Amino acid sequence: MKQNIRSLTRDTLERWLKDMGQPRFRADQILKWLYHHSVRSWDAMGNLPRSLRESLATSFDLDLPGFVEVRGAADSTRKFLWKLADGALIESVLIPANPAAHGGASARKTLCVSSQVGCAYGCRFCASGLEGWKRHLTPAEMVGQVLATEAWLDREATEASASDDPNSNRPRGRWIDNLVFMGMGEPLANYENLLKGLAVLNADWGMGIGARRITISTSGLAPQIQQLADEPPQFRLAISLHGPTDEVREKIMPINRRYPLDRLVEACDYYTRKRGKRVTLEYILIEGVNDEIHLTESLAALAQRLRAKVNLIPYNRVDGLSWHRPSETQQESFCRALKERGVNVTLRREKGHDIEAACGQLRLRAEREASGAVPAN
Ligand code: SAH
Ligand code: SF4
């Protein structure tokens, strides 16, 4: 299979052009077609010589992830299922801007993107790990989720066919100004591709999404957290903690055996010192597993040591798993107990519960439906 051109950073594209005997300014022209106009055909790149368009077509692919389906939730969260060139299915979740945080209705949105097909880490509560790991996503497949979602939003907004036309030169709508790598997969296990994808998403010559508006979520790959701390751009980091002691964490996250809490905290410390940036601790509340009030003592100690903010997320049920979210009273008591211990904590409001928005759930259902394991509804 040919490499997708959206996996290339500007440097690599310039090198390729040089090898083809092309002037450097062609890189700017191509990048503008790719990320400003979001064209889907080489022929649409009107200011390039025909011979160059032909060479590009011989060397690279240009496809975006193919749209399979979208599901909407009552709170206007949208979940997309995409099909990749090899038939693999991945998901992205579009989350509307919070009007309160933006001082009024805002068209800008957050997209939750996937970084792998499936996941090898097998956290017991998570749908993404249920069917194992299939492969890494390429940089182009990460970037493509954003472009394909924006194209869908364009189409929805205009309801006209202009943006469907591969030869359309209309600039793409800039809808998405926040990214979270909280979809399917473990982003730091796909480190090299992740960094290339981030370069395209962040650069002015690419998608231009500010590094401070890009959050990478990890289940706790300590060495890669340290490596990320040494990279120049200021991306945000979220740690999926879910257990404040090794005993609790080990039960639900196998990765804790490889990198126990001490090691994870050491890596987060390094990140915080090196970056001058605090990490966020994500904590899913699961009934009877990690929601006992006495656990707030060790959670508060960890948060204070890292000067980290804690995000409490009520568990989303996954078909075939027997985990439940605690009652609202229990969620609130847990949150209050942390506040009383001086922790900066938020309890996340419902987002997309009714569309199986937790990572991996929609793909899992689609694959099970395709294999006849559950009836389609
Ligand atoms: N692998 C990375 C990023 C993807 S998971 C990580 O684990 O951080 C993104 C977030 O979704 C994680 O915090 C994960 O624990 C959470 N998550 C997974 N399944 C969930 C579920 N059923 N309900 C709520 N959150 C879930
Ligand atoms: Fe993988 Fe993250 Fe799901 Fe764990 S929570 S199985 S690391 S996607």
Side-chain angles (χ1 to χ4, degrees):
M1 238 182 340
K2 281 184 272 184
Q3 188 180 26
N4 192 302
I5 192 159
R6 293 190 181 85
S7 281
L8 269 54
T9 58
R10 185 198 183 110
D11 287 354
T12 329
L13 180 60
E14 282 179 354
R15 269 203 302 280
W16 183 85
L17 286 164
K18 196 171 168 207
D19 290 346
M20 301 300 288
Q22 291 286 336
R24 214 161 139 186
F25 71 85
R26 295 284 182 219
D28 291 324
Q29 292 178 322
I30 296 170
L31 293 169
K32 204 161 175 204
W33 287 120
L34 290 175
Y35 302 114
H36 186 73
H37 294 290
S38 190
V39 298
R40 303 209 192 176
S41 85
W42 303 107
D43 284 340
M45 302 187 174
N47 56 0
L48 302 187
R50 198 189 158 129
S51 59
L52 176 57
R53 277 184 268 149
E54 280 167 8
S55 308
L56 283 163
T58 312
S59 301
F60 302 109
D61 261 333
L62 188 64
D63 299 335
L64 292 179
F67 175 83
V68 178
E69 70 167 276
V70 62
R71 287 192 184 199
D75 65 1
S76 81
T77 299
R78 296 270 178 284
K79 181 152 190 163
F80 295 89
L81 188 67
W82 311 111
K83 191 181 250 178
L84 304 176
D86 65 347
L89 295 172
I90 55 161
E91 312 169 358
S92 318
V93 181
L94 183 68
I95 304 156
N98 177 357
H102 290 258
S106 162
R108 292 301 174 102
K109 297 167 201 295
T110 296
L111 191 70
C112 171
V113 293
S114 293
S115 56
Q116 300 183 309
V117 184
C119 185
Y121 288 82
C123 302
R124 309 253 184 270
F125 49 81
C126 173
S128 291
L130 276 184
E131 314 262 289
W133 178 83
K134 295 235 167 78
R135 68 171 175 88
H136 291 312
L137 292 192
T138 64
E141 288 165 339
M142 297 183 224
V143 176
Q145 292 171 63
V146 183
L147 284 167
T149 306
E150 287 192 334
W152 185 89
L153 286 162
D154 266 348
R155 274 201 301 277
E156 209 197 29
T158 59
E159 299 223 35
S161 57
S163 57
D164 264 346
D165 175 1
N167 295 315
S168 157
N169 289 350
R170 216 162 55 85
R172 71 178 166 91
R174 287 168 188 256
W175 296 92
I176 292 161
D177 69 345
N178 255 297
L179 288 182
V180 292
F181 280 80
M182 292 188 182
M184 202 192 304
E186 168 51 54
L188 293 188
N190 186 10
Y191 193 85
E192 230 174 89
N193 287 351
L194 175 75
L195 269 126
K196 280 191 200 146
L198 286 171
V200 177
L201 290 163
N202 174 230
D204 289 338
W205 52 257
M207 304 286 285
I209 301 173
R212 284 152 207 271
R213 294 176 167 275
I214 301 180
T215 301
I216 300 157
S217 175
T218 178
S219 58
L221 275 64
Q224 286 89 334
I225 291 173
Q226 285 177 226
Q227 210 177 332
L228 190 69
D230 293 330
E231 307 283 352
Q234 301 270 331
F235 302 113
R236 292 187 184 276
L237 185 64
I239 308 291
S240 292
L241 189 71
H242 312 329
T245 61
D246 282 323
E247 195 195 346
V248 174
R249 199 164 190 264
E250 223 168 74
K251 272 193 222 149
I252 50 179
M253 300 180 73
I255 180 112
N256 198 71
R257 258 171 259 134
R258 193 164 356 142
Y259 305 117
L261 280 175
D262 269 355
R263 177 70 187 93
L264 177 57
V265 167
E266 183 191 320
C268 292
D269 253 343
Y270 181 82
Y271 186 93
T272 313
R273 263 185 291 118
K274 196 82 203 266
R275 300 259 70 150
K277 267 210 156 136
R278 298 168 193 199
V279 300
T280 303
L281 301 177
E282 306 278 332
Y283 197 99
I284 311 179
L285 286 167
I286 313 175
E287 188 180 63
V289 175
N290 66 358
D291 67 335
E292 287 152 337
I293 301 298
H294 74 88
L295 292 174
T296 58
E297 186 181 347
S298 27
L299 180 51
L302 268 179
Q304 266 141 11
R305 161 134 189 237
L306 292 169
R307 293 178 299 128
K309 197 185 139 198
V310 175
N311 238 340
L312 298 176
I313 308 153
Y315 182 66
N316 264 327
R317 257 188 64 75
V318 174
D319 260 358
L321 296 181
S322 57
W323 312 82
H324 297 277
R325 60 170 51 184
S327 68
E328 278 183 24
T329 322
Q330 182 67 9
Q331 295 170 25
E332 276 153 24
S333 305
F334 196 90
C335 184
R336 202 171 332 109
L338 284 172
K339 273 193 189 138
E340 281 162 9
R341 293 179 186 278
V343 178
N344 179 357
V345 55
T346 52
L347 176 59
R348 197 185 282 178
R349 265 188 309 118
E350 200 73 275
K351 286 261 197 276
H353 188 49
D354 47 341
I355 50 165
E356 301 170 319
C359 63
Q361 285 179 271
L362 188 58
R363 163 182 169 259
L364 192 65
R365 169 175 287 268
E367 291 202 333
R368 285 180 177 170
E369 279 170 6
S371 67
V374 293
N377 57 10

